């Protein structure tokens, strides 16, 4: 969290809600708190998705993040 407070550039965070190797809810809450404090952070939380961005209900890669990432990079 200390490192995140020092970031000055915009950042996009992508989390799988079912990530069993990383505390997604804690990380997402930290990002939301910092965003509320004025950080230019965006968050994509992919439901039913693990750390590798695989949808647990289908076994397929969740691709819902691709368009938002493209928009973030292009500044849309």
């Amino acid at each position: 969290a200390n490192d995140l407070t020092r970031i000055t550039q915009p950042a996009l965070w992508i989390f799988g809600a079912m990530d069993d190797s990383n505390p997604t809810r804690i990380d997402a809450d930290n990002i939301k708190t910092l965003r509320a404090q004025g950080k230019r952070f965006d968050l994509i939380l992919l439901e039913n998705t693990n750390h590798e961005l695989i949808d647990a209900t289908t076994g397929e890669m969740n691709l819902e993040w691709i368009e938002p990432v493209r928009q973030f990079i292009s500044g849309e």
Side-chain angles (χ1 to χ4, degrees):
N2 290 333
D3 291 335
L4 295 177
T5 62
R6 294 195 302 263
I7 294 175
T8 58
Q9 70 274 13
L12 175 62
W13 304 88
I14 303 169
F15 295 110
M18 295 180 69
D19 187 337
D20 60 0
S21 66
N22 207 45
T24 298
R25 296 291 176 202
I26 294 170
D27 289 346
D29 286 347
N30 285 333
I31 298 302
K32 291 175 186 175
T33 297
L34 290 166
R35 183 173 51 197
Q37 295 172 358
K39 289 290 184 183
R40 296 179 297 168
F41 289 173
D42 289 320
L43 171 66
I44 298 172
L45 184 60
L46 302 169
E47 296 301 323
N48 300 317
T49 303
N50 66 19
H51 187 78
E52 291 79 24
L53 302 182
I54 302 298
D55 186 310
T57 61
T58 66
E60 300 292 327
M61 182 171 215
N62 183 328
L63 302 177
E64 295 173 14
W65 57 273
I66 292 175
E67 183 59 21
V69 167
R70 187 195 66 75
Q71 291 173 350
F72 179 83
I73 291 169
S74 68
E76 294 178 21

